[in-house]
Amino acid sequence: QVQLQESGPGLVKPSQTLSLTCTVSGGSISSGGYYWSWIRQHPGKGLEWIGYIYYSGSTYYNPSLKSRVTISVDTSKNQFSLKLSSVTAADTAVYYCAGRGPGLGGGGDYWGQGTLVTVSS
Amino acid sequence: EIVLTQSPATLSLSPGERATLSCGASHSVSSSYLAWYQQKPGLAPRLLIYDASSRATGVPDRFSGSGSGTGFTLTISRLEPEDCAVYYCQQYGSSPWTFGQGTKVEIK
């Protein structure tokens, strides 16, 4: 069974870059057909999709965040990462990593437990 | 971008009653790639329904999904106290993937 775990600083200063890593266990991040995503949830609010990286390396980002987001993969560590630059208090949220696959259909769906990131000086 | 609109915002029902949650899409959802998630406080979302109508592993059969195109429904046939949660729809047929704003189900 695929499992995901987020890690990274829980506190980031305004204007800095938020960096989170998701470690995948129970399967290879390079497995064909998998989409590796980041999703966030502002306190007391709904879910916001940030973007994904496909197993092939192609990426797609939420247009509202595209100028500040980078998602990348480290196959040697079976991890994928999120970088969000120039953060403000509005980026304070619980950040989830998730996986879907193989392929879009079929119900393969895996989530990390989430990690709270607070943006504050 | 496909905008998903969920209704109602809050649903308050008694145990044993039937709950009907709606998710409307601004454009047709490709291949019925629509999912329903259940989220309880402090926990990650849990997949209930994928591909509009397929129940995820381990999900009780009182949960069912239907619909296609721009209109989708999640039905809970007989509410149990543990169904108290927020339910989100998500489309993953077109990028960017998008979520609805959620429906809160309260048990009286």
Side-chain angles (χ1 to χ4, degrees):
Chain A
Q1 176 72 344
V2 175
Q3 294 184 309
L4 286 73
Q5 177 67 58
E6 305 90 351
S7 59
L11 181 64
V12 181
K13 288 181 166 50
S15 80
Q16 294 190 339
T17 295
L18 179 160
S19 295
L20 295 175
T21 297
C22 183
T23 301
V24 179
S25 59
S28 171
I29 202 167
S30 302
S31 295
Y34 279 80
Y35 296 80
W36 304 105
S37 297
W38 288 95
I39 296 107
R40 71 180 182 177
Q41 187 168 36
H42 295 102
K45 302 297 184 182
L47 300 166
E48 180 181 26
W49 182 79
I50 298 171
Y52 67 65
I53 185 164
Y54 193 40
Y55 81 104
S56 62
S58 60
T59 54
Y60 201 103
Y61 302 133
N62 187 323
S64 68
L65 298 169
K66 185 177 180 179
S67 63
R68 299 193 291 130
V69 172
T70 302
I71 298 176
S72 59
V73 164
D74 185 338
T75 55
S76 67
K77 294 181 179 179
N78 225 35
Q79 296 174 335
F80 64 105
S81 299
L82 169 71
K83 291 189 185 301
L84 181 66
S85 63
S86 305
V87 298
T88 69
D91 295 308
T92 293
V94 173
Y95 286 76
Y96 295 99
C97 61
R100 171 166 280 134
L104 290 175
D109 186 82
Y110 315 96
W111 289 65
Q113 64 186 23
T115 186
L116 174 63
V117 178
T118 301
V119 179
S120 174
S121 55
Chain B
E1 175 176 329
I2 295 179
V3 177
L4 299 180
T5 303
Q6 292 187 239
S7 62
T10 304
L11 198 53
S12 185
L13 295 167
S14 299
E17 290 193 297
R18 182 185 190 91
T20 303
L21 287 67
S22 297
C23 177
S26 60
H27 300 87
S28 182
V29 175
S30 175
S31 303
S32 293
Y33 283 147
L34 185 114
W36 288 94
Y37 290 89
Q38 176 193 66
Q39 188 180 33
K40 296 183 178 181
L43 297 179
R46 171 198 181 196
L47 180 69
L48 297 176
I49 302 291
Y50 63 92
D51 302 348
S53 60
S54 296
R55 201 177 299 116
T57 302
V59 174
D61 61 7
R62 65 179 182 273
F63 292 92
S64 63
S66 63
S68 64
T70 60
F72 299 88
T73 301
L74 173 70
T75 302
I76 311 173
S77 60
R78 299 170 306 279
L79 273 171
E80 300 278 351
E82 62 263 31
D83 299 334
C84 179
V86 179
Y87 294 81
Y88 295 95
C89 57
Q90 184 206 29
Q91 70 80 22
Y92 47 98
S94 304
S95 296
W97 298 353
T98 48
F99 289 95
Q101 80 277 22
T103 290
K104 184 176 184 179
V105 173
E106 298 177 338
I107 309 296
K108 291 179 181 175

